[in-house]
Amino acid sequence: MRFGFEKLAQDGAARAGVIHTPRGEIRTPAFMPVGTAATVKAMMPESVRATGADILLGNTYHLMLRPGAERIDRLGGLHRFMNWERPILTDSGGFQVMSLAGLRKLTEQGVTFKSHIDGSKHELTPERSMEIQRLLGSDIVMCFDECPALPASDKAVAESMRLSMRWAARSKDAFGDRPGHALFGIMQGGVTPELREESAEALKAIGFDGYAVGGLAVGEGQEAMFGVLDYATGFLPEDRPRYLMGVGKPDDIVGAVKRGIDMMDCVLPSRSGRTGQVFTRHGVVNIKNARHQDDPRPLDEACTCPACRNYSRAYLHHVFRSQEIISSMLLTWHNLHYFQEIMSGMRAAISQARFAAWEVEFHATRAEGDIEPL
């Protein structure tokens, strides 16, 4: 079975569909929980699946350093290693290398950098990134790119984008013919329409199974990000999935889908769960606040996740303040469940041609704020 994308419905620019892979279907719009080091922190794989996730994201940079791509390959590949038999997307390592600006050297060939773990020296090139992702066995592979942090000069953004396009061509050559596996290109170009269009044209000329919008959610702010998405998705093929990398907050996700995005990932729901920040239909709840310590009510009376079904705000406040492991488990589960409920709600609304009404209700409910303290 080969990789494929099927658009089932469209409402405005918002699309609902399905990505077909040998390891299962991915309903779109899709949110991918992040399993950086072959685990979604504080979650069992079957629990992640129970939230409604069809696909996870693994991190090339972290896995190449520890435990090593060759070791994972010897142990049967990433799916077996982490006990997740459904699709996995791996990023290219480019974003993490960008964040190590003080520890890296960038050339036309690739990037040499020092490990943040032990200071050992490594080289990451388009060819090596493709090799690592092949050893991991991921279903969706990202081409190797360079992502400049914003704000940056137009000259710097243009040079970076054109380097990424040269690396995209090398990634495609190194990826080869792998039936059942997909390679996505990554559009760059900052917040400049002409550069975004140039990048998209270069990627389409190379030819990819899907296309990501990269270089956003890196400091430019929501208004600028939406401004780019208003035109950037239109540069990409209609018959391929569109992936917005590293996004984001609930209203970021809804705004991205409204503008034609099919896939997203972010560490936010899991990271926030570990720090006591809880996302609900009525906005953000900080479970660490003292107002919850005598509250017998659930986080969200309409939520069916284990945290809301079986535990009170008072208990969740207690275990967080006591630094008990169950706090991270329950709050992460809730956040991931809520993010998947957003995706499910949007898929249904798009299919029924009522996305605009759904969006109004989504924002109105969040604007109500949390329930009043007792």
Side-chain angles (χ1 to χ4, degrees):
M1 177 181 173
R2 299 190 71 91
F3 177 93
F5 173 63
E6 183 181 4
K7 186 173 72 172
L8 301 176
Q10 184 159 344
D11 187 5
R15 297 140 47 105
V18 59
I19 298 170
H20 301 283
T21 83
R23 291 188 180 271
E25 295 185 341
I26 305 162
R27 298 163 295 174
T28 64
F31 179 81
M32 298 181 283
V34 176
T36 299
T39 174
V40 178
K41 290 179 174 63
M43 295 288 285
M44 299 285 284
E46 51 269 36
S47 304
V48 178
R49 176 62 177 155
T51 67
D54 293 335
I55 178 173
L56 296 184
L57 182 143
N59 189 276
T60 291
Y61 168 82
H62 288 281
L63 293 172
M64 71 176 277
L65 295 179
R66 186 173 56 193
E70 284 76 10
R71 176 172 287 123
I72 291 175
D73 180 47
R74 290 195 301 270
L75 293 168
L78 186 55
H79 295 84
R80 178 179 295 179
F81 187 62
M82 67 181 294
N83 189 33
W84 176 266
E85 287 305 316
R86 293 193 59 80
I88 295 174
L89 179 148
T90 45
D91 61 15
S92 70
F95 181 81
Q96 281 69 32
V97 170
M98 175 204 79
S99 67
L100 296 170
L103 300 172
R104 72 173 195 180
K105 181 181 179 183
L106 177 71
T107 68
E108 182 69 33
Q109 178 62 19
V111 184
T112 53
F113 63 92
K114 291 181 179 179
S115 164
H116 73 284
I117 298 170
D118 59 10
S120 58
K121 192 174 181 180
H122 299 265
E123 183 180 38
L124 201 52
T125 65
E127 293 76 16
R128 177 59 177 155
S129 178
M130 295 304 101
E131 180 185 23
I132 292 168
Q133 294 182 77
R134 179 187 60 78
L135 291 167
L136 296 175
S138 53
D139 306 277
I140 300 177
V141 171
M142 302 305 298
C143 72
F144 190 58
D145 69 327
E146 205 250 332
C147 174
L150 298 180
S153 70
D154 285 350
K155 182 175 184 290
V157 171
E159 289 175 353
S160 172
M161 180 272 288
R162 288 167 189 146
L163 175 63
S164 289
M165 296 307 98
R166 296 192 293 274
W167 284 358
R170 286 168 55 190
S171 296
K172 176 71 179 290
D173 290 342
F175 180 79
D177 184 22
R178 298 181 59 201
H181 299 265
L183 179 64
F184 280 26
I186 305 175
M187 176 207 285
Q188 293 289 350
V191 295
T192 307
E194 294 77 15
L195 294 178
R196 286 283 174 181
E197 185 172 17
E198 179 184 335
S199 178
E201 291 303 315
L203 293 174
K204 288 187 289 186
I206 298 167
F208 290 95
D209 301 296
Y211 295 84
V213 181
L216 295 177
V218 290
E220 77 284 354
Q222 188 191 73
E223 183 179 354
M225 179 178 73
F226 284 169
V228 171
L229 294 178
D230 281 334
Y231 59 79
T233 53
F235 296 148
L236 299 174
E238 279 280 332
D239 62 346
R240 304 292 165 92
R242 302 164 180 162
Y243 166 29
L244 179 60
M245 306 178 77
V247 173
K249 297 177 181 178
D251 52 339
D252 291 339
I253 289 172
V254 173
V257 169
K258 178 182 181 178
R259 291 163 173 83
I261 293 295
D262 305 303
M263 304 167 67
M264 285 138 289
D265 78 277
C266 193
V267 298
L268 191 66
S270 48
R271 179 178 290 168
S272 295
R274 301 193 303 278
T275 59
Q277 186 178 56
V278 189
F279 295 93
T280 77
R281 293 176 303 118
H282 296 285
V284 178
V285 173
N286 286 311
I287 201 64
K288 61 176 77 78
N289 290 350
R291 60 161 286 188
H292 304 295
Q293 64 187 356
D294 292 308
D295 197 330
R297 297 173 295 180
L299 282 170
D300 186 335
E301 73 285 351
C303 180
T304 59
C305 84
C308 293
R309 258 199 340 260
N310 302 321
Y311 300 94
S312 66
R313 289 177 176 228
Y315 179 77
L316 296 172
H317 171 83
H318 159 67
V319 290
F320 179 83
R321 300 288 289 190
S322 302
Q323 299 183 327
E324 293 291 344
I325 293 170
I326 196 174
S327 172
S328 294
M329 296 164 61
L330 289 173
L331 298 183
T332 300
W333 192 321
H334 168 85
N335 281 347
L336 290 174
H337 178 98
Y338 173 63
F339 272 55
Q340 295 298 343
E341 279 201 329
I342 294 174
M343 310 317 291
S344 176
M346 287 193 291
R347 288 193 296 265
I350 294 165
S351 298
Q352 297 163 15
R354 56 177 185 85
F355 182 82
W358 182 93
E359 183 190 18
V360 168
E361 184 179 355
F362 167 81
H363 289 299
T365 303
R366 282 175 60 81
E368 292 172 1
D370 193 19
I371 55 177
E372 291 295 321
L374 290 175

